[in-house]
Amino acid sequence: MKWLGLLYLFLSVSLQFGGVSSKNQGHEDSAATRTIRKELGDPPEVHCSRERSKAAWKIIQEYLMPFVEKERYQISRTCKLHPDNDLYRDQEEHKIQVDLNEWQCGYCKKRFYDDKFLDKHFDNRHYNLLNVSHTRCLADVCGALHCDLEMDSVPPKKTKCNPAAAARNQHLCEGLADSCFPVKQGPAASRLHEFFLRQFCDSHTCTGRQKPFSRGRRKKRASISYLVISILTLALLFLFYSYIYMYSRGVKRGTQELKRVTPIRRKKKPS
């Protein structure tokens, strides 16, 4: 009975330790965090959503930048869509995905099993690297870029459209088109201005006729080397299977010819 009691005590302590370890995964040691905050001071109050900034960045990269690059157009830094206006851009570029469920901090090399815990790590340990002296937040343009569609993991439920909110987002969207792609700057800017209106702004209505991202995303062209290799591979496969077919057909025909040949009978020697 004494051994059973000790075994039960050992298992209880092990389970409690495992629970505490899994609970603490993803956030900082409280003592270390307090030490850093004592040295650097309390983190500044940031009124900028990291999640919405991520969604805006993803939309810009997928639904806008491929077309901008195609036109070889340089977005001005005064444009709110420019990477310099993303408060969290430097931190996002210091994220290293080691494996499917393993992320590493590019500043201190600490590892986490989820991206959201790395975000918390940035908030606790590297908040001093955020440049909050300038008012810049990519999440501020989310209303124009339809970030809610990107952030919803499931199809959003149909809600009653708010005409005032739609008009406000459309005004913001048209302002981005005017400031980022001024028509007076030339043909490329004029084409991108028109594209931006069709891609993002026209859908800010309560009619539901126009869908966001109606121009889609530009598909990357396959490289010439990839096409050449693919064609050669298909040609070799065709030749290989043709050879196998002809060979098997020839063997079958040869077998049939052998069957038709009458066997030569030996003459019996006279006794």
Side-chain angles (χ1 to χ4, degrees):
M1 295 297 292
K2 184 178 180 180
W3 288 104
L4 290 175
L6 291 174
L7 180 61
Y8 175 77
L9 179 62
F10 175 76
L11 290 175
S12 300
V13 173
S14 300
L15 289 173
Q16 289 179 2
F17 179 77
V20 171
S21 299
S22 61
K23 185 178 180 181
N24 288 339
Q25 172 66 32
H27 55 76
E28 311 305 318
D29 179 73
S30 57
T33 303
R34 285 196 298 268
T35 302
I36 291 176
R37 290 189 176 182
K38 187 176 180 180
E39 295 175 356
L40 301 177
D42 292 330
E45 190 174 357
V46 180
H47 300 283
C48 182
S49 170
R50 185 188 291 271
E51 292 302 318
R52 293 182 71 80
S53 295
K54 282 184 184 180
W57 175 262
K58 186 176 181 181
I59 290 172
I60 292 170
Q61 295 303 309
E62 291 187 6
Y63 296 100
L64 177 62
M65 290 310 298
F67 300 92
V68 174
E69 293 169 0
K70 183 180 179 181
E71 293 286 352
R72 297 181 180 180
Y73 182 82
Q74 295 293 329
I75 295 180
S76 171
R77 289 189 176 183
T78 58
C79 171
K80 292 183 178 181
L81 305 177
H82 193 277
D84 288 350
N85 291 316
D86 183 8
L87 178 64
Y88 302 104
R89 183 56 16 215
D90 185 69
Q91 289 187 351
E92 290 296 320
E93 291 177 352
H94 279 79
K95 287 182 176 181
I96 304 171
Q97 188 169 9
V98 181
D99 204 347
L100 182 63
N101 294 318
E102 187 175 2
W103 294 80
Q104 186 180 43
C105 172
Y107 297 117
C108 64
K109 309 305 179 184
K110 190 168 183 178
R111 299 195 176 194
F112 304 86
Y113 67 80
D114 199 300
D115 180 39
K116 64 181 180 181
F117 294 127
L118 183 53
D119 288 339
K120 291 182 180 179
H121 170 77
F122 285 148
D123 292 337
N124 290 330
R125 289 292 185 93
H126 304 298
Y127 57 85
N128 59 309
L129 300 177
L130 288 178
N131 185 6
V132 295
S133 59
H134 302 286
T135 305
R136 53 176 188 163
C137 180
L138 205 58
D140 292 342
V141 299
C142 265
L145 300 181
H146 308 278
C147 289
D148 292 335
L149 296 178
E150 182 64 35
M151 296 177 67
D152 290 332
S153 57
V154 295
K157 297 180 180 179
K158 291 184 178 181
T159 57
K160 189 175 181 180
C161 180
N162 186 341
R168 184 169 59 252
N169 289 331
Q170 187 175 30
H171 179 72
L172 174 62
C173 188
E174 292 173 351
L176 288 174
D178 294 337
S179 61
C180 297
F181 310 106
V183 179
K184 295 181 180 180
Q185 283 192 358
S190 180
R191 287 191 295 269
L192 288 171
H193 184 276
E194 181 69 16
F195 166 81
F196 194 88
L197 293 176
R198 304 290 85 79
Q199 180 81 321
F200 300 102
C201 304
D202 286 353
S203 55
H204 286 299
T205 62
C206 290
T207 60
R209 296 176 182 176
Q210 191 72 22
K211 300 297 181 182
F213 319 130
S214 59
R215 297 295 180 92
R217 64 183 81 179
R218 182 172 62 87
K219 296 181 180 179
K220 294 182 179 180
R221 295 181 180 178
S223 62
I224 297 176
S225 59
Y226 176 78
L227 291 175
V228 171
I229 292 173
S230 300
I231 293 172
L232 289 176
T233 303
L234 291 174
L236 290 174
L237 286 173
F238 175 76
L239 292 174
F240 174 75
Y241 284 111
S242 298
Y243 172 77
I244 295 296
Y245 172 74
M246 297 300 293
Y247 178 78
S248 60
R249 188 177 180 183
V251 170
K252 187 176 180 181
R253 181 179 297 177
T255 304
Q256 291 177 352
E257 293 293 336
L258 287 174
K259 288 181 179 180
R260 293 176 184 176
V261 176
T262 55
I264 301 174
R265 296 180 180 179
R266 293 183 179 181
K267 294 181 179 180
K268 293 182 179 181
K269 294 182 180 181
S271 55

